Amino acid sequence: MKTALAVSAIALACTLATAVSQERAAAPAAAAAAARFPSYDPRYPPPPGTPPAEVFQLSQNFPTTYANETFPWMAIDFKAFPNEYLRAVLNYCLDGNVDVDFRVQDNRVRKWYHAPWLHDDGAPFGGGREWRHGMTRERMSRPFELHTQQSGRGQNWAVGFYNDRGGAALGKVWLTANGRPDPAKATFPPNSVACKLLFTDAPVEQVPYLQNGKVWTANIYPDTNYNKPRVDREMRLLQLDVAVKDPRLARSTGWVFGTFIYDGGSPGKTVWDRMSPVGLSWGDDLPVRTDAQRNGVFVNTALTQARINGFLVEQSGWDYGNRAYVRHHGLGGRVNGPIDSPVSSCVSCHGRAGTFANANDPVNRGRPMTMAVFSASKPSEYPMDKFDEFFKPIPDGAHLETQDGSQFMTTDYSLQVTGGIRNFYQNLRSQPQPVTAEATRSTRALRAPAPVDLSHAPALPRVDRDSD
């Protein structure tokens, strides 16, 4: 058995070799189909002697076909029965995954798949996948965002995965003949499902509703300064997100987004029974600016494309004990989870999943769309002249969108695809070989563009929500 250190060295070598190979001649399609992507950040490998069963493995045997299933949520009107819809999706996500502790490639009911290239974002103390569960760093929780007793910041990490339909789309993006990701192929088929588990290191003493929940040990940073080597820390399940490519929304955003919070004080028998739906949304209600700059948590009755669980809205003066409640949603009461930013929404952020579209510009290749105005830390600081830009409806499917004068290819509401593409091209910048533009139809008949040295170019913006 190879030691974990040797395995990490091999993973790093494979990462570099893969990145360098992108600048060479196109590989045969058969070789592309055999491509393997690293599972975790090679700078933070498992200790030597760690049993392989304890090390996260990226589920990357992407299918080319998928079953013609009947999906339980399709019999439910998500607008009229949002909680029932979300519970049906949640049960589908849990089926077989709970039994294998979310090592989704081992699911005996149906296989699930991870998005490649989230293992390394290129930063010295970055947020790439940790080796125990493949979690990536999420937005930290500020003091008192989760609970009135929360006096410190909470470090949050998450792992997401797609069903076979989503996995087929991932394969089309990443298993290409030339080895470069193709965002134009990022249209997800109907009833693609994404699920994400979000864990926090916020202590139960400060967030009492985390008690009796699901606990994982994760290899993360000692604190939210993110400036020391990673260590093992205990984390508790706080939030669970789902997204469904619902065919009933084919002429609009295409997706239904939902989020749950763990409620340790609820009477459910299992952890999963104690997941309480926070809300569901399928649009951003562009015309509605009512209460857009209102801080705190509330139900905005002017919104028509969202459903909020009013029972979780914090009531002043109540003693919640160990019951869960939420202290903010998204901007203007739009749906967002407890870990997420109060100046955005599920739909607005994911709608800006897109990557720079000009293949002949290696300097900007991989640059993601701006997701939101995260420089505003709370709704009362939100610049309303930016509202239309970040809350206008974005059609589903991969297509071109314009932002700040540049064109971006959207990745069908998948920030994991956008983030992976960003990381892929950021990695190319660290290679000794100069980066060349891609050959496109307009350049194939012309002289090949001169390679560009990007070793001193600024880092590409990361796909994260912590800039606030």
Side-chain angles (χ1 to χ4, degrees):
M1 182 179 67
K2 294 182 175 68
T3 65
L5 184 60
V7 171
S8 72
I10 293 172
L12 179 57
C14 290
T15 301
L16 299 180
T18 299
V20 172
S21 71
Q22 314 314 318
E23 304 312 315
R24 298 172 181 170
R36 303 299 290 177
F37 303 99
S39 294
Y40 52 83
D41 192 328
R43 291 169 296 185
Y44 301 101
T50 301
E54 296 181 10
V55 179
F56 170 77
Q57 293 296 323
L58 195 80
S59 180
Q60 54 182 298
N61 292 326
F62 302 118
T64 56
T65 61
Y66 41 82
N68 186 18
E69 297 182 63
T70 298
F71 298 96
W73 54 83
M74 289 304 297
I76 304 172
D77 182 346
F78 57 81
K79 299 178 183 179
F81 303 101
N83 290 351
E84 292 80 356
Y85 182 95
L86 288 177
R87 183 60 61 178
V89 177
L90 176 61
N91 289 340
Y92 173 86
C93 295
L94 298 177
D95 193 16
N97 280 327
V98 173
D99 296 337
V100 296
D101 200 24
F102 294 90
R103 296 188 180 276
V104 297
Q105 66 272 24
D106 296 331
N107 188 319
R108 296 180 181 179
V109 179
R110 63 180 63 87
K111 304 300 180 186
W112 293 72
Y113 303 90
H114 299 111
W117 267 99
L118 298 181
H119 65 285
D120 181 10
D121 60 19
F125 294 94
R129 293 191 188 276
E130 51 87 40
W131 66 264
R132 286 190 174 273
H133 299 282
M135 292 197 288
T136 57
R137 193 172 67 203
E138 293 279 326
R139 175 183 181 271
M140 73 176 73
S141 293
R142 279 58 173 170
F144 307 111
E145 278 191 342
L146 302 178
H147 199 280
T148 56
Q149 298 177 27
Q150 182 202 357
S151 59
R153 296 185 296 186
Q155 194 174 175
N156 303 316
W157 290 67
V159 61
F161 39 90
Y162 290 83
N163 67 351
D164 58 350
R165 293 173 176 240
L170 294 176
K172 290 180 179 179
V173 172
W174 288 100
L175 300 181
T176 59
N178 66 2
R180 296 181 188 238
D182 186 353
K185 295 180 180 177
T187 295
F188 287 76
N191 286 304
S192 292
V193 177
C195 180
K196 184 165 69 171
L197 308 179
L198 300 97
F199 288 73
T200 185
D201 71 350
V204 173
E205 294 75 20
Q206 295 185 19
V207 188
Y209 57 76
L210 293 176
Q211 70 174 17
N212 301 321
K214 183 168 181 58
V215 178
W216 269 354
T217 298
N219 191 249
I220 60 172
Y221 297 104
D223 52 50
T224 54
N225 291 320
Y226 306 141
N227 60 4
K228 301 179 183 69
R230 295 184 186 183
V231 297
D232 283 350
R233 287 181 62 83
E234 189 175 81
M235 304 198 80
R236 291 175 171 79
L237 181 65
L238 168 61
Q239 180 177 323
L240 189 151
D241 295 342
V242 296
V244 178
K245 185 75 176 288
D246 195 306
R248 290 169 288 187
L249 293 169
R251 298 182 184 275
S252 57
T253 62
W255 292 84
V256 174
F257 287 89
T259 186
F260 296 79
I261 188 173
Y262 176 71
D263 184 359
S266 69
K269 293 182 178 180
T270 71
V271 168
W272 313 109
D273 294 332
R274 295 192 289 273
M275 298 304 300
S276 184
V278 174
L280 168 154
S281 61
W282 61 95
D284 261 334
D285 286 288
L286 177 64
V288 180
R289 299 191 176 208
T290 308
D291 290 329
Q293 292 181 304
R294 178 179 172 182
N295 297 330
V297 63
F298 52 90
V299 176
N300 188 342
T301 57
L303 299 175
T304 63
Q305 296 177 318
R307 300 291 183 266
I308 292 289
N309 182 357
F311 290 104
L312 288 173
V313 173
E314 180 187 18
Q315 302 297 317
S316 179
W318 282 28
D319 180 6
Y320 283 89
N322 58 3
R323 293 303 304 267
Y325 58 94
V326 294
R327 310 204 72 201
H328 74 271
H329 291 126
L331 194 75
R334 290 164 176 81
V335 175
N336 243 358
I339 282 175
D340 302 319
S341 170
V343 298
S344 61
S345 76
C346 295
V347 173
S348 68
C349 279
H350 284 269
R352 275 80 196 157
T355 184
F356 190 77
N358 185 355
N360 296 315
D361 181 357
V363 175
N364 285 296
R365 197 69 169 136
R367 177 162 65 90
M369 291 182 74
T370 302
M371 286 189 290
V373 187
F374 289 131
S375 57
S377 62
K378 53 187 176 181
S380 59
E381 298 175 355
Y382 191 84
M384 291 305 293
D385 61 329
K386 294 288 186 180
F387 184 87
D388 286 0
E389 178 181 349
F390 291 103
F391 289 91
K392 71 177 183 180
I394 303 292
D396 66 322
H399 64 278
L400 292 174
E401 288 281 341
T402 300
Q403 186 182 72
D404 295 332
S406 296
Q407 283 198 315
F408 294 81
M409 179 63 68
T410 66
T411 56
D412 202 1
Y413 282 76
S414 176
L415 289 171
Q416 293 192 47
V417 170
T418 295
I421 292 174
R422 179 267 173 203
N423 293 347
F424 174 89
Y425 283 103
Q426 180 60 40
N427 182 273
L428 285 187
R429 292 172 180 242
S430 66
Q431 306 308 316
Q433 289 80 5
V435 176
T436 61
E438 295 181 30
T440 62
R441 291 180 180 179
S442 60
T443 62
R444 282 171 185 158
L446 303 176
R447 179 180 299 177
V452 178
D453 182 4
L454 297 180
S455 59
H456 300 292
L460 292 167
R462 285 186 289 181
V463 180
D464 65 31
R465 304 169 180 82
D466 247 337
S467 54
D468 59 332

